[in-house]
Amino acid sequence: MEHISKNHTQDCHAIDTPYAHTQHGKPSLRTAAHATLHCLTGCVIGELIGLMIGVSLGIAPIPMMLFSTALAYISGVSLTIFPLMRDTGFTFKTALMTIWIGETVSIGVMELVMNAVDYHMGGVRSGSILNPLFWEALLAAVPAGYIAAFPVNAWLIGKELKRCH
């Protein structure tokens, strides 16, 4: 049975050399910014696909946001887990055990804020992806999600609950 080594943090440093993960227990701003951008990329992929499908099919806002959030988790975790498996040789189960806490919290915060902004601006009720309101709400939701998740990612990295993005 495969296990996570005690030197996993050091392994992450070797994989992600341009980004010093911590300095005396505090994450660098560069690392937190990179982790948040990485998280945002996965979230936006899933969120956009889910919202475009939901709005196009006329799905009610709450089920649509739940669907979009599920897709955001799938794409966000995929963007983290498969490179980790490739770079470390971890099995899927070990890689998932390594990232699940950090990714769950980070994506959850980002999605909560992005969906709240999108909902309150009316993007999920815009009726069509051709309606400028759909895109305006998304353009407001993306930076709001980043801003909300940045301190969360910094804290997770500092507590070594989020590694390798």
Side-chain angles (χ1 to χ4, degrees):
M1 176 181 219
E2 191 171 5
H3 71 282
I4 300 171
S5 72
K6 290 182 182 179
N7 294 328
H8 180 70
T9 302
Q10 292 165 344
D11 296 341
C12 292
H13 287 259
I15 294 166
D16 198 20
T17 53
Y19 304 97
H21 283 265
T22 61
Q23 297 171 356
H24 306 293
K26 295 182 180 179
S28 73
L29 293 179
R30 184 175 179 185
T31 301
H34 182 266
T36 306
L37 184 60
H38 188 267
C39 181
L40 183 70
T41 302
C43 285
V44 168
I45 291 168
E47 182 86 6
L48 181 59
I49 292 169
L51 292 176
M52 290 178 79
I53 291 170
V55 167
S56 296
L57 295 177
I59 298 172
I62 300 300
M64 181 189 329
M65 290 185 300
L66 292 172
F67 176 63
S68 295
T69 298
L71 292 179
Y73 270 102
I74 291 168
S75 59
V77 168
S78 295
L79 287 178
T80 301
I81 203 165
F82 294 117
L84 180 61
M85 290 169 58
R86 179 193 64 226
D87 294 341
T88 63
F90 286 170
T91 64
F92 181 84
K93 181 180 177 183
T94 302
L96 184 60
M97 289 172 50
T98 302
I99 67 158
W100 81 272
I101 292 174
E103 294 303 305
T104 299
V105 173
S106 179
I107 293 170
V109 167
M110 190 171 286
E111 281 299 304
L112 181 67
V113 171
M114 287 175 65
N115 280 315
V117 168
D118 204 7
Y119 180 82
H120 289 290
M121 287 189 67
V124 295
R125 297 181 306 273
S126 64
S128 170
I129 61 170
L130 300 177
N131 185 335
L133 181 58
F134 176 86
W135 297 102
E136 291 166 4
L138 187 65
L139 287 174
V142 170
Y146 182 92
I147 291 166
F150 180 82
V152 173
N153 279 310
W155 183 82
L156 289 167
I157 293 166
K159 295 293 182 185
E160 295 187 4
L161 295 172
K162 186 170 178 114
R163 304 176 187 131
C164 298
H165 305 70

